[in-house]
């Protein structure tokens, strides 16, 4: 069974930081690429960041480059997203995603991921 459970969402002031976590099923963590996506009300789901199985390859959406960092600790079955310099436009539901058959570079779009968590809400006020 595939399970992804996000946590760490909160309400913060602009300029603040948050770290999101996603705990995953043990069999996923060793064989799957992982990613973070976000969706604000009335908007399409947007790719935030993605990471390869061993964390060697990463990808970031243009709007978060230089501010967000994706990482994974396979020993702890956990994916992370460190978010710094948060802005109101970063407010959204953030989702963790996973996909198998990932040989090198992780997918960059939602259609490339097969499994999803329930999401954690991030709200940034000005």
């Amino acid at each position: 069974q595939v399970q992804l459970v996000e946590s760490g969402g909160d309400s913060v002031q602009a300029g603040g930081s948050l770290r999101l976590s996603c705990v995953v099923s043990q069999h996923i963590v060793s064989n799957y690429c992982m990613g973070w996506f976000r969706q604000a009300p009335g908007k399409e789901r947007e790719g935030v960041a993605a990471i390869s199985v061993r964390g060697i390859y990463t990808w970031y959406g243009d709007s978060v480059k230089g501010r967000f960092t994706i990482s994974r600790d396979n020993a702890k079955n956990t994916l992370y997203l460190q978010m710094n310099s948060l802005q109101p436009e970063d407010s959204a539901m953030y989702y963790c995603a996973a996909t198998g058959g990932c040989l090198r570079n992780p997918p960059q779009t939602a259609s490339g991921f097969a499994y999803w968590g329930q999401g954690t809400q991030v709200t940034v006020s000005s």
Side-chain angles (χ1 to χ4, degrees):
Q1 185 177 2
V2 177
Q3 290 187 324
L4 300 89
V5 180
E6 304 96 332
S7 63
D10 204 346
S11 297
V12 297
Q13 296 283 329
S17 297
L18 283 174
R19 188 174 80 158
L20 304 184
S21 298
C22 174
V23 178
V24 306
S25 306
Q26 188 168 8
H27 76 282
I28 288 180
V29 74
S30 300
N31 298 288
Y32 282 53
C33 284
M34 304 285 298
W36 288 100
F37 290 77
R38 66 187 182 187
Q39 189 166 18
K43 294 188 177 182
E44 293 185 356
R45 191 163 293 193
E46 174 190 14
V48 175
I51 190 167
S52 59
V53 173
R54 290 182 175 83
I56 296 174
Y57 302 101
T58 58
W59 169 85
Y60 293 93
D62 288 341
S63 62
V64 307
K65 284 180 181 177
R67 299 188 299 125
F68 291 10
T69 302
I70 189 171
S71 62
R72 62 193 296 167
D73 186 337
N74 289 351
K76 296 183 178 179
N77 300 352
T78 305
L79 175 74
Y80 301 101
L81 184 68
Q82 177 67 42
M83 305 187 295
N84 298 327
S85 302
L86 283 162
Q87 299 301 317
E89 52 266 34
D90 294 317
S91 297
M93 186 71 78
Y94 282 71
Y95 297 91
C96 171
T99 191
C102 183
L103 298 179
R104 185 173 175 177
N105 293 323
Q108 300 174 12
T109 61
S111 62
F113 288 86
Y115 305 101
W116 294 84
Q118 294 299 309
T120 185
Q121 179 68 41
V122 172
T123 303
V124 185
S125 57
S126 59

